[in-house]
Amino acid sequence: MSEHVDHGPGFYVKTWGILLVLFAISVIGPIAEIRWLTLITAFGVAVVKAYFVAARFMHLDIEKRYINYMFATMLLMMLLFWGGIVADIGAHRGSNWVRIAPSQVQAPGSLSQPKVNAMKVEQSDETTSEEPTIESEGH
Amino acid sequence: MGLVQPIATRRSATGIPTGKLAVWWLIGSEIVIFGGVLVSYIILRHYHADWTEEAAATNVWLGGLNTFVLLTSSLFAVLAHYYMEKRNDAKKASMYLWLTVVGALTFLVVKSFEWTHEIQHGYVMTKSLFWGFYYTAAGIHGLHVIAGAVIMGIIAIQIRQGKHYNRVELIGLYWHFVDIVWIFLFPLLYIAK
């Protein structure tokens, strides 16, 4: 067990109280229906809440650095994953494919005949199939 | 003569007890699992403004109630650790572990009501990509809650039998991580509308 934990129940109850206050702040944005406030209060506060739980309940603030480095590496892996896929997901067309905007899809379940059939898809030299593949990402 | 095998209780390279190091590595691998799902969700959400309409169907009050339940259960888990480590009070530690289990069960009951209501209204996993992510992320998290509750119950019994006191801290670490995952799921699935 950890040998460095000197906090008493009062410290943990106080931390819990702080977490509840942060939780209340996180729902202010949606109640006020202000989008930028929602992004700040909900996501910004989530990071702060996670920090409090990790530092004070998991005692990461006094844990050996090895563990912090390990978690930093895992978070770096997430960043690498994000960097690797964001460009493709953000693209609307590529070699022999085009992504249909949800508003252009005729009806749920009829993706085989979307309105964009008439859309001209520029085929690259690498294209070999006769019909361009059309990908839709749902609704 | 019986063969006595030494039990490795502390890793020489890190100076961290074996069980605790294992839990830290488990949490590290979980970060990548949940991180992959959440990063994919955030990127797709950015390119699908229409997901706002889908997210409007989620119940922020039930999500909020479950956030409160998990935060409180995390408090019970850390108090169980405190009473076991600092006071050597297995009875009180066991009681707080059981209170944490009650928190887990409350979370699951609220979730089941929520999902039943949503499914009855046609918001099923295959309805759209948003609901696919919603059920996948919350479902994986729910499985972790179930696993945590079962293990915590076992440890609560074990420490009353005078065994495996160190496991109170280990299950606490796992439980706090489950709490942290929900801290991020709540704004992503319920608040961002």
Side-chain angles (χ1 to χ4, degrees), chain A residues 1-2 5 63-64 70 139, chain B residues 14 20 24 50 85-86:
Chain A
M1 282 190 266
S2 167
V5 184
E63 186 53 89
K64 291 187 183 297
M70 182 177 82
H139 318 286
Chain B
T14 60
K20 193 175 177 183
W24 281 131
D50 54 305
E85 182 175 289
K86 292 295 170 190

Side-chain angles (χ1 to χ4, degrees), chain A residues 51-130:
Chain A
Y51 168 78
F52 269 98
V53 173
R56 294 190 171 191
F57 284 175
M58 299 173 88
H59 305 117
L60 260 180
D61 55 344
I62 53 172
E63 186 53 89
K64 291 187 183 297
R65 284 185 181 179
Y66 171 85
I67 302 301
N68 289 295
Y69 293 149
M70 182 177 82
F71 288 160
T73 307
M74 301 304 173
L75 293 173
L76 202 65
M77 292 291 283
M78 282 172 57
L79 200 64
L80 191 67
F81 175 60
W82 177 82
I85 65 172
V86 71
D88 275 337
I89 292 178
H92 292 281
R93 61 175 58 212
S95 175
N96 206 26
W97 66 272
V98 59
R99 188 174 67 215
I100 309 167
S103 58
Q104 291 178 291
V105 178
Q106 271 185 328
S110 63
L111 298 182
S112 56
Q113 293 180 332
K115 288 177 182 176
V116 293
N117 267 351
M119 180 185 289
K120 291 179 181 177
V121 180
E122 294 174 13
Q123 297 194 21
S124 68
D125 296 338
E126 298 168 2
T127 305
T128 51
S129 61
E130 293 177 3

Side-chain angles (χ1 to χ4, degrees), chain B residues 17-95:
Chain B
T18 309
K20 193 175 177 183
L21 183 62
V23 173
W24 281 131
W25 274 107
L26 171 75
I27 292 172
S29 63
E30 298 274 17
I31 288 175
V32 180
I33 293 169
F34 280 106
V37 174
L38 296 184
V39 166
S40 305
Y41 173 85
I42 291 168
I43 294 173
L44 285 165
R45 177 80 192 249
H46 178 72
Y47 289 108
H48 291 77
D50 54 305
W51 281 18
T52 307
E53 296 163 23
E54 302 275 8
T58 59
N59 191 321
V60 70
W61 296 109
L62 289 182
L65 174 62
N66 265 345
T67 306
F68 171 76
V69 168
L70 277 191
L71 288 175
T72 306
S73 71
S74 251
L75 171 69
F76 293 148
V78 78
L79 287 176
H81 175 209
Y82 169 79
Y83 280 104
M84 193 69 259
E85 182 175 289
K86 292 295 170 190
R87 302 286 180 88
N88 203 25
D89 188 343
K91 191 179 175 185
K92 238 177 179 175
S94 178
M95 182 195 78

Side-chain angles (χ1 to χ4, degrees), chain A residues 17-75:
Chain A
I18 293 170
L19 287 167
L20 290 188
V21 170
L22 289 170
F23 163 59
I25 292 170
S26 70
V27 294
I28 286 175
I31 289 172
E33 295 184 352
I34 302 170
R35 189 172 167 77
W36 64 266
L37 187 65
T38 299
L39 290 173
I40 293 170
T41 56
F43 296 103
V45 166
V47 174
V48 178
K49 274 196 292 185
Y51 168 78
F52 269 98
V53 173
R56 294 190 171 191
F57 284 175
M58 299 173 88
H59 305 117
L60 260 180
D61 55 344
I62 53 172
E63 186 53 89
K64 291 187 183 297
R65 284 185 181 179
Y66 171 85
I67 302 301
N68 289 295
Y69 293 149
M70 182 177 82
F71 288 160
T73 307
M74 301 304 173
L75 293 173

